[in-house]
Amino acid sequence: MRMPRRKPSFLFTTNSTTSAASTRKPNRPELRRAAALLFSAILLGTLLYSADNIRFITIQSQITRSSPRQLSSLEADPNHASGPSDPIGVQSAADLFDGAKKRVLSLHKEKEKCDLFDGEWIYEREEDENRRYPLYREEECVFLTEQVTCMRNGRKDDRYQRWRWQPRSCSLPRFDAKAFLEKLRNKRMMFVGDSLNRNQWESMVCLVQSILPWDKKTLIKTGSLNVFRAEEYNATLEFYWAPFLVESNSDDPAMHSIRDRIIRPTSILKHGANWKDVDFLIFNTYIWWMNGPKMKVLRKGIFSRRSIKYEEVERIVAYRRVLRTWSKWVAEHIDPQKTTVFFMSMSPAHETVTWENRNAIRCAMETLPITNSTGRIDVGTDWRLFTVAEDVIQSMRQVPVHYINITALSEVRKDAHTSVHTLRQGKVLTREQQADPATYADCIHWCLPGLPDVWNEFLYAKIMSNM
C-alpha cells in the first residue's frame, strides 16, 4: 500500500488531480516564486539586524563624547538615540546605511556645548572619599606671598578651601599638573593686569610647582614682570603688572597706591612690548576702575611730577576706550596660530554688606558663601563693565579671545577673602588691627588655596581641550 505523500506546509502546494510524475516534479515557476519569498524574508532579517547595529554604533559614538553625567543618563535610558529612527522597509538598504553613516559622522563633528560657569558650589567634607579640595596645601607652596596666606596669618577655619564648583551640564576635569606642564613645554603663559590677576597667577604657580624638584624651579621678580620657571619643561608662568592695561600713573608695581589715578586710554605699546611671543595670555582689568564714577584721562603729554592736565570721563566710557585700544593691539600683534588669548571677567568685592548677616562688618568673620539668595546678588559689581568687555570681545574676529566668566559665581563667595588675615603696608595685621575690620579688612583679594584655584581650573579645562 502506497502511503500518501505529506503536503509541504510552505513554499508551494500540489493539485490533488496531478499524476504521480507531476507530483514528484514540482512546478518550476512556483519554485522560483518560493525562493524569492525566502530571500526576501532573509534580507528583511538582515536589515533589521544591521539597523540595530547602526543604532548601537550611533549611541556608542555619543557615549564616547559625553560627560560622566550624560553617560549615566544614556545608560539609564537604553532607548536613547541621537535622532528619530528610520522606517525599516521604506528606505532602500543603501539609503539606510548612508543615513546611519552621516549620523555617526555628525556626532564626531559636533562640539559639546557646556557652560562651565553655570552651576553650583558643593562643599567637600574632610571625610568625603573622593574629595579633591584643597588642590594644594598652603604650607606646601613656598611661592605664596603673605598677602594671601590666611591660615598662617591667623585665620582659624579652613572651610573656604573646600568648596568645589560643579557646572550643571558637565564636570570640570581634575587638574593634572604633569599633563598641564606637558602642554606648556617650551611655552610661556603670562597673566597681565592688576593684583587680582597676580592673585590668580600665584594660584597657578602653586598648582604646578609641587611636582617639580626643588632645584628645578625658580621665581624671579624684575620690575613689573614676575617669572616662575619650570626648568625641566622649559616653561614659564609669568605675571606682568598693568592694572589698566594701558599706561597710567599707577604702573609702578611697588609704588602704585595713588589716590588720583590717571590713564592714557590710547597708549598701550609700552606695556604691549612685554606681551609678545607669549603662548597663553590672560588679561584682566577691573578693580582699579572702582574708585569713583569717573576716571581721570590724561589730555596730552606724559606722566611726570609736574602738574598734569586731565579730564574726567564717565567710567564706562573710559573703560570702553581702553578695551578698544587693547583689542586693536591684540589684532595687530597677536598671531592666533601661536597665541591663545583669555580675558577674565571682573573679580567682585564684598565691601558693602548686602547679605543677611546683621553682625557682619564688611567681609570679616564670614565663613560660608551666600546661600539664601533668590535673585541676583548685589555686592556693588559694575555689570556695565562686564557688558562692555563682552561686547568688545565678541567683536574681535581676527584673533578670538576666550571670555572666562568668573563674576557671578564669585559674588557668592563672601567667605573666601583675605579679610583681616593679610598685609597692610607690607606687614601682617596686628591683633589690634584684626579687631578693627571696618578699617583693615581686605574684601578684594582672596585667600590661597581658595577661589582663584577654581578660576585656573577653567583655564585648565579650556587649554587642555584646545577650546
Side-chain angles (χ1 to χ4, degrees), residues 108-119:
H108 286 285
K109 292 179 180 178
E110 180 185 357
K111 291 184 178 180
E112 280 190 307
K113 299 293 184 181
C114 173
D115 186 355
L116 292 176
F117 317 114
D118 176 29

Side-chain angles (χ1 to χ4, degrees), residues 41-42 55 60 70 83 96 114 158 180 194 242 257 264 281 314-315 325 344 378 394-395 417 456:
I42 294 172
R55 289 193 183 89
Q60 284 295 96
Q70 293 168 325
L96 181 66
C114 173
D158 65 353
F180 189 63
D194 57 30
S257 297
R264 297 180 67 189
L281 279 168
E314 290 292 331
R315 179 196 297 159
T325 298
M344 306 298 298
D378 182 11
Q394 288 177 354
S395 70
H417 288 290
N456 281 324

